[in-house]
Structure formats: structure tokens, C-alpha cells
Amino acid sequence: MSVLDKRSADQRHSRPEKEPGALPGSEAGDTTAGDTKSAREPSRSGRRGLPLALNAVSVALGIALWWVLASAGFKLPTPPEVVSRAGTLISDGTLADDALASLTRVLIGFALGTAVAVPVGFLMGWYGILRGLIEPWIQFFRTIPPLAIIPLAVVAMGIDETPKIFVIFLAAFLACVISTFQGVVNVDRTLINAARVLGAGDATIFARVVVPASTPFILVGMRVGLGSAWATLVAAELIAAQEGLGYRMQNAQLYYDLPTIFVGLISIGILGLLMDRVLLLAERRLTRWQERR
């Protein structure tokens, strides 16, 4: 008998016999694995519910702090006053019209800004010549606040919806293009070289390697651009607007109507938060391959 045969015989004799009544193919490890899996499922559901509970606690504490400051003499409306004013604006349709007007401007400006920023960022990151030609202008306009563009936009485009959307577009574009550019230049060169070794051309490498690897950066840039778009909304609605959340807040400022200002602030925050959650959900769906903490 060979050495390998002796070892296999010893291993067969050393295996523990199954208990009577045990199912064929069942092992103790299977039971342990099942117990571990069942123990992990409640913990995962618990971890998912914990952030929602913390969010609810945070909102409650924020409202309580706001109420305390208003009751302590600070020039703030109390939560019941803001709720009452919101009910009035909702009942007469003013809040719905203003929210729709502002949301339309933000969506158009943000969509146009993202649609232009993504290809420009890819071109800057992929071609060094275009990077040298475009990047100085991107960095130049990033240092100019959107408020400073408003006079030029009014003179060049008039006082209709075009300058408002243009200012929002510029804010979203500048935030998203830099993130897309960084995503392209940060692609691991090992992946690109491996694709070239396997015979892939530039078009295939760009579509199969660069675009997927840059997707997390693009989505983060879109979220930042969305925040910039909402932050620029009030300034954009300074341009001869007749409706909108920013316009309503500025009009309320003239009459020292703090509850209306708070209604506008809260409405902008809620709309922006909902849109950000949609982008975050898209980010999680499109980047499932990425490791998360």
C-alpha cells in the first residue's frame, strides 16, 4: 500500500460516524451555519431601522430647540405659527404654485447642467489637450459666485425664465464637471492596462472601464450640483420673478413676515432632501459593486 493510500485509509477511520436518525449529507456545520444566518437577519433589519430612528430623534430635537429659542425671546416664529401660515398658503394654492415654479426652474437648470458637465468632464479627463484648454476656464468661473453673474445674465438674456435657469445651470454644471473629471483621472491604470492587454480598443475601454469606474464620482457630483442649484434658487428668483419660493421669501422680507420666510425655507429643504434621496437611491443601485461601510 502506498503512502497516499495509507493516509486516505487513516482519514476514513478517523471520521466520526453519523448519529442514528441523521439525514444523509447533513453535517453539524450546516446547523451552525443555519443558526448563524438566522441570527444575522434580525441584526441586519435592526441596523437598517436604526438610522431612521436616529433621524426621527434628530428632527424632534431640532424642533424642540427651535421652540425653546423662540420662547426665550429670539426673533423667531414658533412652530405653531409656521404651521398655521403654511396651512393658509396651502389652502389658497400659493405654496403649491410657488413650489411648482421653483421646482421647475431647479429641475431644468440641474438637468441641463448635468447633461453638459458629464461629457465635458469625460473629455477633460481622457484627453490631455482638451484638459489644458478647458480647465482654466472651469476654475476661473468656479471662483465667481452666481450672484455676480445675475447682472450679466439680465443684460444678455432679459428678465424672463432664461436668465433664472441659466444661473442655476451654471451652479450645477461647475459642481458636477469637476467631480466627473476627478472620476476619470482617478481610474486605476492597472484596469486600463489589463483591458489593453486583452485587446480592447479605446472605445471599449472607455465604455467598459472608465465609465463604470467614474460613476460613483459622477453621482456624488450630481448630488453636490443639486445642492448648488437649490442654493442658487433664491438668487435666481431675484430676476423679476412673479412666483416661486425664493420670490415669496423676498417679498415676505419687505413686510417682516417671518412665518412665511420659514415656510419657504422648510419647503426648499424638504424638496431638496427628497431629490437628494432619489439620487442616493440611484447611486446605491448603480454602484452595487462598490464596497460600503
Side-chain angles (χ1 to χ4, degrees), residues 15-42:
R15 288 178 184 173
E17 296 183 358
K18 296 180 182 179
E19 296 180 1
L23 293 176
S26 64
E27 298 291 343
D30 297 338
T31 306
T32 306
D35 294 341
T36 305
K37 183 177 180 181
S38 60
R40 285 179 180 176
E41 289 178 353

PDB file of all heavy atoms in Angstrom, residues 15-42:
ATOM      1  N   ARG A  15     -12.842   9.636  10.648  1.00  0.00           N
ATOM      2  CA  ARG A  15     -14.077  10.414  10.530  1.00  0.00           C
ATOM      3  C   ARG A  15     -15.105   9.933  11.532  1.00  0.00           C
ATOM      4  O   ARG A  15     -15.332   8.735  11.696  1.00  0.00           O
ATOM      5  CB  ARG A  15     -14.652  10.278   9.112  1.00  0.00           C
ATOM      6  CG  ARG A  15     -13.846  11.032   8.077  1.00  0.00           C
ATOM      7  CD  ARG A  15     -14.453  10.809   6.706  1.00  0.00           C
ATOM      8  NE  ARG A  15     -13.658  11.435   5.682  1.00  0.00           N
ATOM      9  CZ  ARG A  15     -13.882  11.298   4.371  1.00  0.00           C
ATOM     10  NH1 ARG A  15     -14.890  10.515   3.953  1.00  0.00           N
ATOM     11  NH2 ARG A  15     -13.109  11.915   3.494  1.00  0.00           N
ATOM     12  N   PRO A  16     -15.794  10.828  12.233  1.00  0.00           N
ATOM     13  CA  PRO A  16     -16.823  10.401  13.192  1.00  0.00           C
ATOM     14  C   PRO A  16     -18.040   9.868  12.469  1.00  0.00           C
ATOM     15  O   PRO A  16     -18.422  10.363  11.413  1.00  0.00           O
ATOM     16  CB  PRO A  16     -17.156  11.692  13.961  1.00  0.00           C
ATOM     17  CG  PRO A  16     -16.803  12.788  13.007  1.00  0.00           C
ATOM     18  CD  PRO A  16     -15.642  12.294  12.220  1.00  0.00           C
ATOM     19  N   GLU A  17     -18.611   8.827  13.030  1.00  0.00           N
ATOM     20  CA  GLU A  17     -19.812   8.260  12.441  1.00  0.00           C
ATOM     21  C   GLU A  17     -21.011   9.152  12.725  1.00  0.00           C
ATOM     22  O   GLU A  17     -21.090   9.823  13.737  1.00  0.00           O
ATOM     23  CB  GLU A  17     -20.063   6.857  13.025  1.00  0.00           C
ATOM     24  CG  GLU A  17     -18.955   5.861  12.684  1.00  0.00           C
ATOM     25  CD  GLU A  17     -19.284   4.497  13.215  1.00  0.00           C
ATOM     26  OE1 GLU A  17     -20.345   4.370  13.876  1.00  0.00           O
ATOM     27  OE2 GLU A  17     -18.508   3.555  12.989  1.00  0.00           O
ATOM     28  N   LYS A  18     -21.943   9.154  11.789  1.00  0.00           N
ATOM     29  CA  LYS A  18     -23.150   9.982  11.948  1.00  0.00           C
ATOM     30  C   LYS A  18     -24.045   9.354  13.001  1.00  0.00           C
ATOM     31  O   LYS A  18     -24.105   8.140  13.175  1.00  0.00           O
ATOM     32  CB  LYS A  18     -23.905  10.066  10.620  1.00  0.00           C
ATOM     33  CG  LYS A  18     -23.102  10.778   9.540  1.00  0.00           C
ATOM     34  CD  LYS A  18     -23.904  10.835   8.254  1.00  0.00           C
ATOM     35  CE  LYS A  18     -23.109  11.501   7.165  1.00  0.00           C
ATOM     36  NZ  LYS A  18     -23.849  11.544   5.885  1.00  0.00           N
ATOM     37  N   GLU A  19     -24.759  10.189  13.677  1.00  0.00           N
ATOM     38  CA  GLU A  19     -25.685   9.712  14.692  1.00  0.00           C
ATOM     39  C   GLU A  19     -26.870   9.023  14.024  1.00  0.00           C
ATOM     40  O   GLU A  19     -27.260   9.377  12.903  1.00  0.00           O
ATOM     41  CB  GLU A  19     -26.173  10.900  15.538  1.00  0.00           C
ATOM     42  CG  GLU A  19     -25.049  11.562  16.314  1.00  0.00           C
ATOM     43  CD  GLU A  19     -25.590  12.710  17.122  1.00  0.00           C
ATOM     44  OE1 GLU A  19     -26.806  12.942  17.072  1.00  0.00           O
ATOM     45  OE2 GLU A  19     -24.785  13.357  17.820  1.00  0.00           O
ATOM     46  N   PRO A  20     -27.437   8.076  14.727  1.00  0.00           N
ATOM     47  CA  PRO A  20     -28.621   7.398  14.147  1.00  0.00           C
ATOM     48  C   PRO A  20     -29.742   8.408  13.931  1.00  0.00           C
ATOM     49  O   PRO A  20     -30.013   9.271  14.775  1.00  0.00           O
ATOM     50  CB  PRO A  20     -29.002   6.348  15.215  1.00  0.00           C
ATOM     51  CG  PRO A  20     -27.758   6.161  16.019  1.00  0.00           C
ATOM     52  CD  PRO A  20     -27.023   7.440  15.992  1.00  0.00           C
ATOM     53  N   GLY A  21     -30.417   8.290  12.811  1.00  0.00           N
ATOM     54  CA  GLY A  21     -31.532   9.182  12.525  1.00  0.00           C
ATOM     55  C   GLY A  21     -31.142  10.449  11.838  1.00  0.00           C
ATOM     56  O   GLY A  21     -31.995  11.264  11.523  1.00  0.00           O
ATOM     57  N   ALA A  22     -29.817  10.643  11.639  1.00  0.00           N
ATOM     58  CA  ALA A  22     -29.387  11.860  10.952  1.00  0.00           C
ATOM     59  C   ALA A  22     -29.674  11.743   9.476  1.00  0.00           C
ATOM     60  O   ALA A  22     -29.583  10.667   8.893  1.00  0.00           O
ATOM     61  CB  ALA A  22     -27.891  12.083  11.177  1.00  0.00           C
ATOM     62  N   LEU A  23     -30.036  12.845   8.853  1.00  0.00           N
ATOM     63  CA  LEU A  23     -30.353  12.854   7.432  1.00  0.00           C
ATOM     64  C   LEU A  23     -29.090  12.696   6.623  1.00  0.00           C
ATOM     65  O   LEU A  23     -28.026  13.159   7.018  1.00  0.00           O
ATOM     66  CB  LEU A  23     -31.039  14.171   7.062  1.00  0.00           C
ATOM     67  CG  LEU A  23     -32.427  14.380   7.672  1.00  0.00           C
ATOM     68  CD1 LEU A  23     -32.938  15.761   7.288  1.00  0.00           C
ATOM     69  CD2 LEU A  23     -33.405  13.312   7.213  1.00  0.00           C
ATOM     70  N   PRO A  24     -29.180  12.052   5.460  1.00  0.00           N
ATOM     71  CA  PRO A  24     -27.985  11.879   4.626  1.00  0.00           C
ATOM     72  C   PRO A  24     -27.455  13.226   4.173  1.00  0.00           C
ATOM     73  O   PRO A  24     -28.214  14.089   3.726  1.00  0.00           O
ATOM     74  CB  PRO A  24     -28.500  11.047   3.436  1.00  0.00           C
ATOM     75  CG  PRO A  24     -29.768  10.433   3.891  1.00  0.00           C
ATOM     76  CD  PRO A  24     -30.344  11.347   4.908  1.00  0.00           C
ATOM     77  N   GLY A  25     -26.140  13.381   4.252  1.00  0.00           N
ATOM     78  CA  GLY A  25     -25.489  14.609   3.790  1.00  0.00           C
ATOM     79  C   GLY A  25     -25.557  15.736   4.772  1.00  0.00           C
ATOM     80  O   GLY A  25     -25.052  16.818   4.510  1.00  0.00           O
ATOM     81  N   SER A  26     -26.225  15.571   5.930  1.00  0.00           N
ATOM     82  CA  SER A  26     -26.297  16.653   6.899  1.00  0.00           C
ATOM     83  C   SER A  26     -25.084  16.629   7.787  1.00  0.00           C
ATOM     84  O   SER A  26     -24.612  15.567   8.159  1.00  0.00           O
ATOM     85  CB  SER A  26     -27.572  16.512   7.744  1.00  0.00           C
ATOM     86  OG  SER A  26     -27.521  15.328   8.500  1.00  0.00           O
ATOM     87  N   GLU A  27     -24.561  17.777   8.140  1.00  0.00           N
ATOM     88  CA  GLU A  27     -23.384  17.902   8.982  1.00  0.00           C
ATOM     89  C   GLU A  27     -23.699  18.883  10.101  1.00  0.00           C
ATOM     90  O   GLU A  27     -24.645  19.678  10.028  1.00  0.00           O
ATOM     91  CB  GLU A  27     -22.199  18.427   8.168  1.00  0.00           C
ATOM     92  CG  GLU A  27     -21.776  17.517   7.013  1.00  0.00           C
ATOM     93  CD  GLU A  27     -21.142  16.219   7.489  1.00  0.00           C
ATOM     94  OE1 GLU A  27     -20.743  16.185   8.662  1.00  0.00           O
ATOM     95  OE2 GLU A  27     -21.083  15.260   6.713  1.00  0.00           O
ATOM     96  N   ALA A  28     -22.832  18.849  11.108  1.00  0.00           N
ATOM     97  CA  ALA A  28     -23.032  19.791  12.219  1.00  0.00           C
ATOM     98  C   ALA A  28     -22.819  21.209  11.768  1.00  0.00           C
ATOM     99  O   ALA A  28     -23.422  22.138  12.268  1.00  0.00           O
ATOM    100  CB  ALA A  28     -22.075  19.432  13.359  1.00  0.00           C
ATOM    101  N   GLY A  29     -21.928  21.350  10.748  1.00  0.00           N
ATOM    102  CA  GLY A  29     -21.652  22.694  10.267  1.00  0.00           C
ATOM    103  C   GLY A  29     -22.863  23.333   9.609  1.00  0.00           C
ATOM    104  O   GLY A  29     -23.032  24.551   9.622  1.00  0.00           O
ATOM    105  N   ASP A  30     -23.735  22.471   8.987  1.00  0.00           N
ATOM    106  CA  ASP A  30     -24.932  23.018   8.365  1.00  0.00           C
ATOM    107  C   ASP A  30     -25.847  23.642   9.404  1.00  0.00           C
ATOM    108  O   ASP A  30     -26.437  24.703   9.201  1.00  0.00           O
ATOM    109  CB  ASP A  30     -25.677  21.918   7.609  1.00  0.00           C
ATOM    110  CG  ASP A  30     -24.843  21.353   6.465  1.00  0.00           C
ATOM    111  OD1 ASP A  30     -23.919  22.062   6.019  1.00  0.00           O
ATOM    112  OD2 ASP A  30     -25.128  20.213   6.036  1.00  0.00           O
ATOM    113  N   THR A  31     -25.978  22.969  10.540  1.00  0.00           N
ATOM    114  CA  THR A  31     -26.823  23.514  11.599  1.00  0.00           C
ATOM    115  C   THR A  31     -26.254  24.805  12.139  1.00  0.00           C
ATOM    116  O   THR A  31     -26.978  25.785  12.370  1.00  0.00           O
ATOM    117  CB  THR A  31     -26.946  22.480  12.733  1.00  0.00           C
ATOM    118  OG1 THR A  31     -27.405  21.252  12.188  1.00  0.00           O
ATOM    119  CG2 THR A  31     -27.889  22.985  13.806  1.00  0.00           C
ATOM    120  N   THR A  32     -24.935  24.820  12.315  1.00  0.00           N
ATOM    121  CA  THR A  32     -24.295  26.033  12.818  1.00  0.00           C
ATOM    122  C   THR A  32     -24.460  27.194  11.839  1.00  0.00           C
ATOM    123  O   THR A  32     -24.741  28.334  12.232  1.00  0.00           O
ATOM    124  CB  THR A  32     -22.805  25.776  13.066  1.00  0.00           C
ATOM    125  OG1 THR A  32     -22.674  24.643  13.929  1.00  0.00           O
ATOM    126  CG2 THR A  32     -22.146  26.989  13.687  1.00  0.00           C
ATOM    127  N   ALA A  33     -24.303  26.884  10.536  1.00  0.00           N
ATOM    128  CA  ALA A  33     -24.447  27.939   9.529  1.00  0.00           C
ATOM    129  C   ALA A  33     -25.865  28.472   9.502  1.00  0.00           C
ATOM    130  O   ALA A  33     -26.099  29.674   9.372  1.00  0.00           O
ATOM    131  CB  ALA A  33     -24.058  27.400   8.148  1.00  0.00           C
ATOM    132  N   GLY A  34     -26.852  27.539   9.650  1.00  0.00           N
ATOM    133  CA  GLY A  34     -28.241  27.999   9.655  1.00  0.00           C
ATOM    134  C   GLY A  34     -28.538  28.878  10.851  1.00  0.00           C
ATOM    135  O   GLY A  34     -29.234  29.885  10.739  1.00  0.00           O
ATOM    136  N   ASP A  35     -28.006  28.481  12.021  1.00  0.00           N
ATOM    137  CA  ASP A  35     -28.218  29.296  13.211  1.00  0.00           C
ATOM    138  C   ASP A  35     -27.580  30.664  13.062  1.00  0.00           C
ATOM    139  O   ASP A  35     -28.146  31.685  13.454  1.00  0.00           O
ATOM    140  CB  ASP A  35     -27.648  28.577  14.447  1.00  0.00           C
ATOM    141  CG  ASP A  35     -28.412  27.294  14.746  1.00  0.00           C
ATOM    142  OD1 ASP A  35     -29.558  27.160  14.259  1.00  0.00           O
ATOM    143  OD2 ASP A  35     -27.850  26.427  15.448  1.00  0.00           O
ATOM    144  N   THR A  36     -26.363  30.682  12.473  1.00  0.00           N
ATOM    145  CA  THR A  36     -25.675  31.960  12.296  1.00  0.00           C
ATOM    146  C   THR A  36     -26.438  32.873  11.338  1.00  0.00           C
ATOM    147  O   THR A  36     -26.576  34.073  11.558  1.00  0.00           O
ATOM    148  CB  THR A  36     -24.252  31.720  11.757  1.00  0.00           C
ATOM    149  OG1 THR A  36     -23.585  30.826  12.640  1.00  0.00           O
ATOM    150  CG2 THR A  36     -23.491  33.023  11.647  1.00  0.00           C
ATOM    151  N   LYS A  37     -26.960  32.266  10.241  1.00  0.00           N
ATOM    152  CA  LYS A  37     -27.709  33.063   9.270  1.00  0.00           C
ATOM    153  C   LYS A  37     -28.972  33.642   9.872  1.00  0.00           C
ATOM    154  O   LYS A  37     -29.313  34.808   9.669  1.00  0.00           O
ATOM    155  CB  LYS A  37     -28.052  32.181   8.065  1.00  0.00           C
ATOM    156  CG  LYS A  37     -28.762  32.947   6.959  1.00  0.00           C
ATOM    157  CD  LYS A  37     -29.008  32.026   5.773  1.00  0.00           C
ATOM    158  CE  LYS A  37     -29.729  32.787   4.669  1.00  0.00           C
ATOM    159  NZ  LYS A  37     -30.011  31.902   3.498  1.00  0.00           N
ATOM    160  N   SER A  38     -29.696  32.801  10.646  1.00  0.00           N
ATOM    161  CA  SER A  38     -30.918  33.300  11.273  1.00  0.00           C
ATOM    162  C   SER A  38     -30.623  34.356  12.321  1.00  0.00           C
ATOM    163  O   SER A  38     -31.435  35.249  12.562  1.00  0.00           O
ATOM    164  CB  SER A  38     -31.677  32.133  11.917  1.00  0.00           C
ATOM    165  OG  SER A  38     -30.864  31.519  12.910  1.00  0.00           O
ATOM    166  N   ALA A  39     -29.440  34.260  12.944  1.00  0.00           N
ATOM    167  CA  ALA A  39     -29.082  35.267  13.944  1.00  0.00           C
ATOM    168  C   ALA A  39     -28.683  36.586  13.289  1.00  0.00           C
ATOM    169  O   ALA A  39     -28.847  37.647  13.862  1.00  0.00           O
ATOM    170  CB  ALA A  39     -27.943  34.755  14.810  1.00  0.00           C
ATOM    171  N   ARG A  40     -28.159  36.484  12.039  1.00  0.00           N
ATOM    172  CA  ARG A  40     -27.721  37.713  11.374  1.00  0.00           C
ATOM    173  C   ARG A  40     -28.881  38.506  10.806  1.00  0.00           C
ATOM    174  O   ARG A  40     -28.821  39.728  10.722  1.00  0.00           O
ATOM    175  CB  ARG A  40     -26.757  37.351  10.227  1.00  0.00           C
ATOM    176  CG  ARG A  40     -25.378  36.949  10.699  1.00  0.00           C
ATOM    177  CD  ARG A  40     -24.507  36.586   9.515  1.00  0.00           C
ATOM    178  NE  ARG A  40     -23.168  36.204   9.937  1.00  0.00           N
ATOM    179  CZ  ARG A  40     -22.236  35.764   9.104  1.00  0.00           C
ATOM    180  NH1 ARG A  40     -22.504  35.651   7.813  1.00  0.00           N
ATOM    181  NH2 ARG A  40     -21.035  35.430   9.562  1.00  0.00           N
ATOM    182  N   GLU A  41     -29.965  37.825  10.367  1.00  0.00           N
ATOM    183  CA  GLU A  41     -31.067  38.532   9.727  1.00  0.00           C
ATOM    184  C   GLU A  41     -31.721  39.571  10.634  1.00  0.00           C
ATOM    185  O   GLU A  41     -31.953  40.705  10.223  1.00  0.00           O
ATOM    186  CB  GLU A  41     -32.096  37.509   9.244  1.00  0.00           C
ATOM    187  CG  GLU A  41     -31.578  36.699   8.054  1.00  0.00           C
ATOM    188  CD  GLU A  41     -32.585  35.659   7.606  1.00  0.00           C
ATOM    189  OE1 GLU A  41     -33.611  35.511   8.317  1.00  0.00           O
ATOM    190  OE2 GLU A  41     -32.357  34.995   6.579  1.00  0.00           O
ATOM    191  N   PRO A  42     -32.040  39.260  11.911  1.00  0.00           N
ATOM    192  CA  PRO A  42     -32.595  40.306  12.769  1.00  0.00           C
ATOM    193  C   PRO A  42     -31.632  41.453  13.001  1.00  0.00           C
ATOM    194  O   PRO A  42     -32.049  42.607  13.083  1.00  0.00           O
ATOM    195  CB  PRO A  42     -32.907  39.553  14.080  1.00  0.00           C
ATOM    196  CG  PRO A  42     -32.980  38.119  13.699  1.00  0.00           C
ATOM    197  CD  PRO A  42     -32.016  37.956  12.591  1.00  0.00           C
TER     198      PRO A  42
END
